[in-house]
Amino acid sequence: MHTAHLGKLEVSRIGLGAMGMSHGYTSAGTDDAESIRTIHRALDLGVTLIDTAEIYGPYTNEELVGRALQGRRDQVVLATKFGLVAHDGRGPWTLDSSPANIRLAVEGSLRRLGTDHIDLYYQHRVDPNTPIEDTVGALAELVRQGKIGHIGLSEAWTDTIRRAHAVHPISALQSEYSLWTRDQEQILPLLRELGIGLVAYSPLGRGFLTGTIRTAEDVQRLDDSDFRKNNPRFTGENFERNLRIAEEVQAVADQVGATPAQVALAWLLTKGDDIVPIPGTKRVHRVEENTAADAVELTAEQVAFLDRLTPAEGGHHTDDQMQMIER
């Protein structure tokens, strides 16, 4: 597989998001053995960037990734996140990027992952109650201690990124970026000015762009714990209108002789060698499909067609979730 750079960190051109193995999607956490096989297969195919977070589960996804990497830790650029769990008793889904909370969070992640260092450690969401200078200062100390290698932010915006980078180099911004979520294109010039890579989560539109969800009944069959059930793009009239996007991606896939997922990933790869999608899956055949996108070549005309896709209807998160996304 080709490689890309997140700051000075070299990673595979396509990574693997592990969240759905334990959290957020239908049947998450029901087949850890298959999830571990999926991680192993990804490594065999040249994937080096594995992404998790303490909030996934919470905690269980880091534990799963830690088990999967036993004996193979040196093959991986291991990324995890802090900041959505308060370790003072307030618990999960509480914004806390205070230095005290970071010191507790990193020790738990190291233990669950079974490692003595984390290659890329992200602030999961910007904490409005903690100055970013204090957060990055605490992370810089962890770099000096050898507990983390590189610092990342997630869903941060311009001012926060500049202020953070002034304290210590930021290697990566992880935010949603795909054919139907394009706002990151506004911030790419700043990232490139500062030498920060972009890690694109949900590059397949939470599965919508793959064409596997075609009817409202498909959505209703999802587990109640599956957050797509309440996602604005998967509900009501928005869902019906957004089907056109999946059809347009399928049309290009038919031309290329690839799957819609591969086309969606290949389009992202045309946007620069500092952009790394991390499609999530818990199945071996899907990781094989996704990684094969590295070899899919789109023509200039096909890229231009995809650039002009019908805009998605509805927000890419619920209103409550959007409160934690800095714009």
Side-chain angles (χ1 to χ4, degrees):
M1 181 177 292
H2 295 91
T3 59
H5 284 87
L6 305 173
K8 296 181 179 179
L9 189 61
E10 185 175 21
V11 299
S12 56
R13 198 73 174 84
I14 298 173
L16 173 63
M19 183 190 80
M21 298 176 180
S22 311
H23 174 88
Y25 286 94
T26 295
S27 74
T30 61
D31 193 347
D32 284 357
E34 174 67 4
S35 294
I36 289 173
R37 285 193 292 271
T38 299
I39 293 173
H40 289 171
R41 183 61 177 145
L43 300 183
D44 293 341
L45 291 168
V47 172
T48 62
L49 180 62
I50 307 294
D51 184 88
T52 181
E54 65 174 0
I55 192 63
Y56 301 158
Y59 309 131
T60 53
N61 193 241
E62 286 186 328
E63 293 168 349
L64 172 69
V65 170
R67 293 198 302 275
L69 295 183
Q70 289 180 11
R72 304 189 71 170
R73 175 66 182 89
D74 61 349
Q75 300 178 35
V76 172
V77 173
L78 181 56
T80 191
K81 311 177 199 73
F82 70 91
L84 284 178
V85 179
H87 294 277
D88 59 2
R90 289 176 294 158
W93 302 110
T94 304
L95 288 171
D96 190 343
S97 289
S98 64
N101 197 59
I102 291 171
R103 288 190 288 269
L104 292 171
V106 73
E107 296 301 333
S109 290
L110 288 168
R111 182 178 65 254
R112 288 185 292 272
L113 292 166
T115 187
D116 62 357
H117 71 285
I118 294 161
D119 297 300
L120 178 57
Y121 200 39
Y122 292 99
Q123 180 192 40
H124 207 150
R125 292 291 186 270
V126 176
D127 176 8
N129 298 312
T130 304
I132 193 64
E133 290 83 358
D134 293 353
T135 296
V136 178
L139 294 170
E141 179 59 30
L142 295 180
V143 172
R144 287 189 287 272
Q145 294 172 6
K147 293 181 179 181
I148 67 175
H150 300 263
I151 298 172
L153 303 174
S154 182
E155 292 292 8
W157 207 242
T158 308
D159 182 59
T160 296
I161 294 170
R162 283 195 182 278
R163 289 165 53 201
H165 194 73
V167 177
H168 186 281
I170 302 300
S171 293
L173 173 72
Q174 182 177 144
S175 294
E176 184 169 351
Y177 183 31
S178 71
L179 279 167
W180 75 348
T181 302
R182 304 282 294 277
D183 58 349
Q184 292 307 305
E185 292 171 358
Q186 301 172 42
I187 207 169
L188 274 172
L190 171 64
L191 299 183
R192 287 169 174 160
E193 172 193 332
L194 300 178
I196 300 171
L198 177 61
V199 174
Y201 76 80
S202 295
L204 303 178
R206 296 175 178 83
F208 199 106
L209 298 174
T210 68
T212 56
I213 297 177
R214 300 293 302 168
T215 67
E217 289 72 27
D218 291 336
V219 177
Q220 288 305 309
R221 281 193 288 269
L222 300 174
D223 292 348
D224 289 341
S225 61
D226 193 313
F227 60 74
R228 289 174 293 183
K229 272 202 165 180
N230 296 313
N231 186 286
R233 294 184 178 178
F234 284 78
T235 56
E237 293 182 357
N238 289 346
F239 175 82
E240 297 300 329
R241 292 170 179 161
N242 288 335
L243 285 174
R244 180 177 172 183
I245 302 172
E247 292 167 356
E248 291 169 335
V249 176
Q250 180 66 63
V252 176
D254 291 342
Q255 296 172 11
V256 176
T259 68
Q262 290 168 342
V263 166
L265 293 170
W267 174 83
L268 273 171
L269 297 182
T270 69
K271 299 305 176 182
D273 59 7
D274 53 357
I275 297 174
V276 180
I278 50 168
T281 184
K282 53 184 179 290
R283 297 184 177 89
V284 168
H285 73 279
R286 289 298 185 199
V287 85
E288 292 173 340
E289 175 186 356
N290 292 341
T291 55
D294 185 47
V296 173
E297 295 186 7
L298 301 175
T299 66
E301 291 77 14
Q302 289 164 342
V303 172
F305 174 82
L306 293 168
D307 285 342
R308 298 190 302 269
L309 281 188
T310 303
E313 297 281 352
H316 57 107
H317 288 285
T318 64
D319 289 344
D320 286 345
Q321 291 165 343
M322 287 302 294
Q323 296 302 309
M324 293 186 180
I325 292 179
E326 189 178 60
R327 290 292 182 271

